[in-house]
């Protein structure tokens, strides 16, 4: 470390000069943690001691250090005592703007440019590059356009770095046509030029356009590959993100920590634990820094793959944690059915003097929901506003409706919706309707369904839940009427889809689909499994079949649900010691829940299913969820 070398230098009696302090101050500026400010102050004292505070390069390094750590007042004071009538030199002003940008005070960076112009200091190309970047990151396109005009008038063009900064500014501000026009007329382009336009397209969700540009690039680096991979992740095209990462490996381009965060995020969404584990090995093998961002992504990935033990391992191994780390592990414990442990983790977070935010409270309320801790949930909800001054948003209210609904407190849930300061969303009414279905409350259920369909008339799940509610109450006439209404309106139930990873490959199953290459063997295996289940007393539960067919045909519809196909496939191709992990796009039906429980008993397999609402850990004929709906 430069600081250690500096101390050794002093110990040997050597005197520092103007070339000593800039790299030393740069290293101090990059440091994070509680001791960094005191170290910086000590180095500053040495600058003064050796009479170098008015040297332009040393002064700019001091300004950069203070601005980077967020002390804009001290940074500006140092600039104002510089020679040239307090106006300073472009180097010092550039340091001030760069420091503000690094501390994410983009507005201050832009304002410093205006002060520089008023002071009569002539901007350099580095000045324009810095302030254009601040405009882009601060989404200040109006100042960016004024800067563009000034750049043209200044005569610094053509300058590739300045042109790239202009393209990047427009792209970050979402002005893609302006960015594209500049890109098209550039006489010389490099990887940065192409990547800026690709990133801009990705930011606007134009991932297909970004891919066309990416394929046209004459050469690509880690940043450009990562931009494209992250674009697929942001667009929810997680399989495409992993495929692009494989192409990146074939191109012999090494990933960095930003690439790996995107890859691990894709694995989390797909439930691709094997690929996620491989990504972790890749990072270790290539010496990719396991910083807080990567650690947080790994915790999220393991949690969403149903492997909370490994998520805890990552959490315990992390040397540095932020509020996102604590929030990720609290949410992970909560959704995997460890409600009490999640609440204990929240207490640990407070003891570590880490302040919770609104996302943390979603995790805590979710934990209370899955653990059935109604009173604790009420207390946490109240403490958000009273203790932490966090205004509950619609998601927090959704957690409370879920908590009360699962506990059967439907009237209180309805009253809570009535007290919401914002308009209830379709998700809020859907949560209440689902609770009414479980507890057989037709009165409140019909009201919830009516409000839900007012907001989302094409919501097939509202019809399904209401139909199931009528069926549970033996109101078969209403069931037939509702299904007729659905047919007349042409509303179709969203098809069930299940994903399962085997040997690093993601396999997708849709209910009743026969497009898989092993389809014949899968259906044959499923028939054998169902025969074994029936011999052990399994009786299909057809109450949730939303089609007007005979009883026998209803059973066939149930048999071919996507998660049953995925389980049959896994039984065919995996070793008996391998945990079967499935991700489903919808809520798992009661029949599949009961069938999979019995499969784990008969076949001695552990199965984890993540559906739209929660995790189900099946083992030895039991499920981790205390109640099911």
């Amino acid at each position: 470390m430069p600081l250690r070398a500096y101390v050794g230098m002093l110990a040997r009696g050597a005197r520092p000069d103007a070339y000593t302090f800039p790299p030393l101050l740069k290293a101090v500026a990059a440091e994070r943690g509680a001791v960094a400010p005191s170290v910086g102050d000590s180095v500053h004292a040495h600058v003064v001691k050796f009479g170098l505070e008015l040297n332009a390069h040393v002064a700019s390094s001091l300004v950069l250090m203070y601005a980077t750590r967020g002390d804009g007042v001290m940074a500006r004071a140092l600039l104002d005592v510089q020679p040239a009538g307090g106006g300073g030199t472009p180097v010092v002003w550039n340091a001030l703007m760069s420091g503000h940008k690094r501390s994410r005070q983009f507005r201050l960076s832009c304002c410093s440019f205006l002060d520089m112009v008023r002071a009569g200091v002539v901007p350099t190309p580095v000045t324009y590059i810095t302030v254009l970047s601040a405009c882009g990151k601060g989404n200040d396109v109006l100042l960016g356009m004024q800067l563009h005009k000034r750049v043209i008038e200044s005569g610094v063009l053509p300058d590739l770095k300045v042109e790239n900064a202009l393209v990047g500014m427009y792209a970050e501000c979402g002005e893609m046509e302006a960015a594209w026009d500049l890109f098209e007329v550039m006489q010389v382009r490099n990887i940065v030029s192409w990547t800026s336009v690709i990133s801009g397209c990705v930011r606007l969700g134009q991932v297909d356009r970004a891919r066309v540009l990416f394929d046209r690039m004459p050469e690509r680096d880690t940043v450009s590959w990562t931009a494209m991979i992250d674009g697929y992740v942001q667009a929810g095209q997680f399989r495409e993100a992993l495929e692009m990462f494989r192409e990146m490996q074939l191109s012999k381009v090494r990933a960095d920590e930003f690439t790996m965060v995107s890859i691990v995020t894709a694995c989390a969404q797909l439930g691709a634990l094997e690929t996620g584990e491989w990504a972790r090995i890749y990072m270790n093998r290539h010496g990719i820094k396991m910083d807080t961002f990567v650690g947080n992504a790994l915790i999220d990935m393991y949690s969403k793959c149903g492997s909370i033990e490994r998520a805890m391992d990552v959490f315990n191994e992390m040397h540095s944690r932020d509020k996102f780390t604590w929030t990720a592990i609290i949410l992970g414990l909560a959704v995997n059915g460890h409600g009490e442990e999640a609440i204990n983790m929240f207490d640990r977070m407070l003891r570590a003097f880490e302040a919770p935010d609104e996302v943390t409270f979603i995790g805590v309320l979710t934990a209370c929901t899955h653990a059935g801790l109604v009173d604790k949930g009420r207390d946490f909800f109240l403490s958000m506003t009273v203790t932490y001054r966090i205004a509950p948003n619609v998601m927090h209210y959704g957690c409370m409706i879920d908590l009360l609904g699962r506990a059967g407190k439907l009237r209180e849930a309805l009253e809570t919706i009535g007290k919401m300061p914002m308009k209830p969303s379709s998700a809020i009414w859907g949560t209440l309707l689902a609770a009414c279905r479980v507890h057989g409350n037709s009165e409140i259920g019909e009201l919830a369904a009516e409000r839900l369909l007012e907001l989302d008339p094409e919501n097939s799940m509202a019809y399904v839940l209401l139909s199931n509610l009528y069926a549970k109450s033996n109101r078969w006439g209403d069931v037939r009427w509702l299904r007729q209404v659905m047919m007349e309106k042409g509303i179709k139930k969203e098809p069930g889809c299940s994903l399962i990873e085997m040997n690093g490959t993601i396999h997708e199953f849709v209910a009743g689909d026969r497009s898989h290459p092993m389809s014949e063997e899968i259906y044959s295996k499923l028939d054998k499994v169902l025969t074994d289940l029936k011999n052990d007393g399994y009786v299909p539960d057809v109450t949730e079949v939303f089609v007007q067919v005979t009883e026998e045909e209803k059973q066939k519809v149930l048999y071919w649900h996507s998660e049953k196909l995925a389980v049959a496939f896994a039984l065919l191709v995996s070793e008996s010691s391998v945990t079967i992990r499935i991700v489903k796009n919808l809520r798992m039906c009661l029949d599949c829940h009961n069938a999979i429980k019995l499969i784990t008993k008969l076949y001695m397999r552990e199965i984890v299913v993540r559906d739209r609402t929660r995790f189900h850990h099946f083992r030895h004929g039991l499920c981790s969820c205390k109640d099911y709906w």
Side-chain angles (χ1 to χ4, degrees):
M1 180 182 176
L3 185 63
R4 190 176 294 114
Y6 176 69
V7 172
M9 170 184 168
L10 294 178
R12 287 192 295 272
R15 182 184 178 86
D17 59 19
Y19 297 99
T20 307
F21 288 108
L24 182 59
L25 288 165
K26 182 180 179 181
V28 173
E31 283 292 314
R32 293 290 181 267
V35 298
S38 61
V39 172
D41 292 343
S42 298
V43 176
H44 186 182
H46 277 236
V47 169
V48 175
K49 176 182 176 180
F50 291 103
L52 295 169
E53 66 272 23
L54 297 182
N55 177 278
H57 290 290
V58 175
S60 65
S61 298
L62 278 168
V63 168
L64 177 66
M65 179 193 72
Y66 280 109
T68 299
R69 77 186 199 192
D71 191 347
V73 174
M74 186 63 180
R76 184 57 189 264
L78 285 167
L79 183 146
D80 288 339
V81 299
Q82 291 302 300
T89 65
V91 174
V92 183
W93 281 102
N94 292 345
L96 180 65
M97 286 180 276
S98 179
H100 285 321
K101 184 168 73 76
R102 291 187 192 184
S103 62
R104 303 192 65 78
Q105 299 186 70
F106 307 121
R107 189 64 192 163
L108 267 179
S109 187
C110 295
C111 290
S112 297
F113 170 77
L114 299 176
D115 290 342
M116 175 185 180
V117 173
R118 293 189 193 102
V121 181
V122 179
T124 66
V126 173
T127 310
Y128 290 123
I129 292 166
T130 302
V131 75
L132 282 167
S133 176
C135 287
K137 295 185 184 305
N139 200 31
D140 192 342
V141 71
L142 292 179
L143 179 58
M145 292 169 69
Q146 293 172 23
L147 278 166
H148 187 182
K149 182 180 178 182
R150 179 179 281 270
V151 164
I152 294 171
E153 294 170 348
S154 70
V156 302
L157 298 178
D159 182 303
L160 180 59
K161 290 183 179 180
V162 175
E163 289 174 296
N164 282 342
L166 283 165
V167 172
M169 180 274 295
Y170 281 118
E172 286 200 280
C173 292
E175 298 290 335
M176 280 311 300
E177 295 313 311
W180 182 256
D181 289 344
L182 280 171
F183 177 78
E184 286 282 80
V185 299
M186 288 176 70
Q187 296 177 8
V188 179
R189 300 171 185 154
N190 62 6
I191 291 177
V192 175
S193 321
W194 287 89
T195 304
S196 293
V197 180
I198 289 169
S199 297
C201 292
V202 162
R203 219 171 272 113
L204 293 178
Q206 300 171 359
V207 68
D208 292 336
R209 184 182 183 187
R211 182 59 191 264
V212 170
L213 287 168
F214 180 84
D215 290 339
R216 285 175 52 196
M217 288 183 74
E219 57 178 325
R220 308 177 185 114
D221 63 2
T222 301
V223 177
S224 53
W225 279 98
T226 301
M228 198 62 240
I229 290 169
D230 189 58
Y232 280 125
V233 171
Q234 297 304 319
Q237 296 176 242
F238 307 113
R239 296 171 73 176
E240 289 81 356
L242 295 185
E243 182 57 38
M244 173 135 284
F245 182 60
R246 292 187 185 97
E247 291 180 30
M248 181 180 180
Q249 302 313 296
L250 293 173
S251 299
K252 307 298 183 185
V253 178
R254 281 188 58 176
D256 61 14
E257 59 268 31
F258 300 104
T259 320
M260 300 317 297
V261 167
S262 294
I263 293 304
V264 170
T265 300
C267 292
Q269 297 301 321
L270 293 169
L273 182 61
E274 291 177 43
T275 305
E277 290 276 33
W278 178 87
R280 193 175 178 185
I281 294 169
Y282 177 94
M283 286 185 274
N284 291 332
R285 185 183 301 150
H286 293 280
I288 295 174
K289 184 171 65 173
M290 290 283 289
D291 61 12
T292 306
F293 296 105
V294 175
N296 294 348
L298 284 170
I299 290 172
D300 183 59
M301 185 271 291
Y302 282 127
S303 298
K304 286 180 176 171
C305 290
S307 183
I308 194 61
E309 297 83 4
R310 275 175 271 192
M312 281 299 303
D313 288 341
V314 174
F315 177 83
N316 291 328
E317 291 168 6
M318 290 177 69
H319 301 297
S320 176
R321 301 172 184 142
D322 57 18
K323 69 179 178 181
F324 303 105
T325 313
W326 291 96
T327 298
I329 198 64
I330 288 168
L331 274 166
L333 287 164
V335 298
N336 279 279
H338 301 277
E340 293 280 4
E341 293 90 334
I343 293 169
N344 291 337
M345 189 63 73
F346 178 72
D347 291 336
R348 280 182 61 186
M349 177 181 182
L350 299 181
R351 290 197 298 272
F353 301 104
E354 193 69 64
D357 63 9
E358 56 187 23
V359 182
T360 312
F361 275 101
I362 290 173
V364 173
L365 292 172
T366 300
C368 293
T369 297
H370 290 310
L373 303 172
V374 178
D375 290 337
K376 268 190 175 293
R378 291 194 191 101
D379 291 342
F380 281 126
F381 190 77
L382 183 63
S383 73
M384 280 181 62
T385 51
V386 175
T387 307
Y388 298 99
R389 300 287 188 262
I390 298 172
N393 61 33
V394 70
M395 293 187 69
H396 298 112
Y397 277 99
C399 290
M400 284 304 297
I401 303 307
D402 197 12
L403 171 64
L404 296 168
R406 288 178 189 268
K409 300 182 181 296
L410 302 174
R411 184 63 58 183
E412 183 181 348
L414 184 60
E415 291 170 357
T416 302
I417 293 175
K419 295 175 184 176
M420 287 174 62
M422 71 286 292
K423 184 178 180 181
S425 65
S426 58
I428 293 285
W429 291 113
T431 300
L432 181 60
L433 175 56
C436 291
R437 182 190 71 83
V438 172
H439 297 289
N441 189 317
S442 300
E443 178 189 355
I444 297 179
E446 287 176 331
L447 173 64
E450 182 181 335
R451 297 289 184 270
L452 173 54
L453 291 171
E454 285 175 0
L455 294 170
D456 187 2
E458 305 299 313
N459 191 313
S460 61
M461 191 52 61
Y463 291 95
V464 173
L465 289 172
L466 189 57
S467 173
N468 293 337
L469 173 59
Y470 287 150
K472 188 165 185 174
S473 304
N474 292 318
R475 293 170 56 178
W476 299 109
D478 289 326
V479 170
R480 287 189 292 273
W481 167 78
L482 193 63
R483 295 183 180 184
Q484 184 63 36
V485 168
M486 191 172 178
M487 290 177 63
E488 290 173 357
K489 290 187 175 183
I491 297 171
K492 295 182 179 180
K493 183 177 179 293
E494 183 181 352
C497 172
S498 293
L499 301 176
I500 184 169
E501 182 189 34
M502 282 292 157
N503 300 318
T505 301
I506 306 296
H507 299 265
E508 182 176 356
F509 294 92
V510 177
D513 183 37
R514 293 180 178 270
S515 61
H516 193 279
M518 293 180 61
S519 184
E520 188 174 336
E521 298 98 307
I522 292 168
Y523 277 89
S524 177
K525 180 66 175 179
L526 183 55
D527 286 340
K528 174 65 169 61
V529 170
L530 291 168
T531 299
D532 291 342
L533 294 181
K534 289 175 182 177
N535 290 337
D536 201 64
Y538 161 72
V539 177
D541 186 326
V542 298
T543 57
E544 296 188 49
V545 178
F546 202 67
V547 288
Q548 292 182 319
V549 293
T550 65
E551 201 70 17
E552 182 179 349
E553 288 172 323
K554 284 183 180 180
Q555 291 184 18
K556 282 187 178 181
V557 171
L558 285 174
Y559 296 160
W560 297 339
H561 275 186
S562 62
E563 56 267 59
K564 288 193 180 82
L565 293 171
V567 168
F569 170 69
L571 292 174
L572 269 174
V573 302
S574 64
E575 300 292 330
S576 59
S577 59
V578 174
T579 299
I580 299 170
R581 301 177 188 276
I582 298 167
V583 176
K584 181 166 184 184
N585 64 326
L586 304 175
R587 178 185 62 87
M588 183 164 48
C589 76
L590 186 57
D591 179 73
C592 285
H593 185 268
N594 293 337
I596 292 174
K597 270 204 304 188
L598 194 52
I599 287 171
T600 61
K601 173 187 169 187
L602 295 179
Y603 289 82
M604 299 299 292
R605 296 295 295 267
E606 183 176 350
I607 301 175
V608 179
V609 179
R610 184 179 98 205
D611 70 10
R612 180 176 281 180
T613 60
R614 60 158 59 182
F615 274 89
H616 305 272
H617 293 259
F618 298 95
R619 185 184 299 164
H620 306 309
L622 300 172
C623 182
S624 61
C625 56
K626 295 180 176 64
D627 56 345
Y628 181 75
W629 45 8

